[in-house]
């Protein structure tokens, strides 16, 4: 975490997929996030797939928050309204400051560029967490992660990290 994000744009990330049905071998969304980040010169420090269980999700995130190599955590999956969707309930209490514009912009882009009015079901969220890190919680579909990473996370990550570490 010695990078000066005012000048340097490279960052390191942990990517976590929350799913009862996906594995490391079948996880298209988590794999796609990693590919997009690597294509843009960023490093993946950790990657994992865990079931839709608060304790499992929370334990991985808490562990990664202690890793000084990680600048941000991107979680995919479990952000909908189904009874097993627990990602938002798990990550929101961890946020020091929520970035409401992220979820608002994500739903707007999803509405206009991707899935139409189904976008209202997304509870995507982002915010700052301890250690001057960022946390993003995205839906589990490949289209959703592509949209969020390409249109919101990659263009603003360096600026967000600079701001949170002033």
């Amino acid at each position: 975490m010695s990078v000066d994000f005012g000048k340097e744009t490279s960052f390191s990330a942990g990517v976590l997929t929350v799913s009862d049905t996906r594995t490391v071998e079948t996880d298209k969304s988590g794999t796609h996030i990693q590919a997009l980040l690597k294509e843009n010169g960023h490093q993946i420090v950790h990657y994992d797939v865990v079931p839709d269980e608060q304790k499992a999700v929370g334990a991985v995130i808490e562990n990664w928050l202690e890793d000084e190599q990680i600048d941000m955590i991107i979680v995919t999956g479990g952000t909908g309204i189904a009874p097993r969707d627990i990602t938002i309930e798990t990550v929101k209490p961890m946020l020091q400051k929520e970035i409401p514009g992220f979820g608002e912009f994500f739903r707007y882009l999803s509405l206009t560029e991707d899935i139409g009015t189904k976008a209202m079901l997304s509870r995507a969220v982002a915010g700052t967490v301890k250690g001057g890190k960022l946390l993003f919680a995205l839906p589990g579909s490949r289209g959703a992660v592509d949209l969020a990473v390409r249109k919101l996370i990659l263009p603003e990550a360096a600026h967000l990290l600079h701001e949170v570490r002033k």
Side-chain angles (χ1 to χ4, degrees):
M1 291 209 292
S2 61
V3 178
D4 176 2
F5 287 100
K7 299 173 184 152
E8 180 64 46
T9 59
S10 180
F11 60 83
S12 60
V15 177
L16 179 63
T17 297
V18 178
S19 175
D20 287 333
T21 58
R22 295 181 186 150
T23 64
V24 170
E25 294 78 21
T26 63
D27 176 26
K28 293 179 181 172
S29 295
T31 301
H32 188 58
I33 293 169
Q34 293 178 78
L36 288 172
L37 295 180
K38 288 177 185 176
E39 284 171 18
N40 285 277
H42 308 295
Q43 179 184 1
I44 307 303
V45 177
H46 295 292
Y47 166 66
D48 204 352
V49 178
V50 296
D52 286 282
E53 296 171 5
Q54 276 190 305
K55 285 185 181 179
V57 174
V60 170
I61 293 172
E62 287 292 342
N63 186 37
W64 290 0
L65 288 175
E66 298 303 319
D67 187 337
E68 291 186 13
Q69 294 179 12
I70 289 183
D71 297 309
M72 73 174 60
I73 297 171
I74 302 175
V75 182
T76 178
T79 64
I81 61 169
R84 293 279 300 158
D85 291 332
I86 51 77
T87 298
I88 301 305
E89 290 73 20
T90 305
V91 303
K92 259 196 164 184
M94 296 177 178
L95 300 179
Q96 291 177 335
K97 291 189 178 186
E98 187 173 345
I99 305 169
F102 175 81
E104 294 163 1
F105 286 155
F106 175 76
R107 283 181 285 281
Y108 173 76
L109 291 171
S110 295
L111 170 73
T112 60
E113 297 184 21
D114 192 20
I115 59 172
T117 56
K118 290 183 182 105
M120 77 172 80
L121 297 172
S122 173
R123 299 184 300 142
V125 69
T128 66
V129 287
K130 69 181 178 181
K133 301 173 194 283
L134 298 170
L135 189 147
F136 297 91
L138 313 176
S141 76
R142 189 180 181 286
V145 300
D146 188 75
L147 183 72
V149 173
R150 284 185 195 273
K151 298 271 181 140
L152 298 171
I153 296 173
L154 286 172
E156 294 301 326
H159 179 243
L160 290 168
L161 287 165
H162 173 74
E163 288 297 312
V164 76
R165 293 179 177 169
K166 278 185 180 180

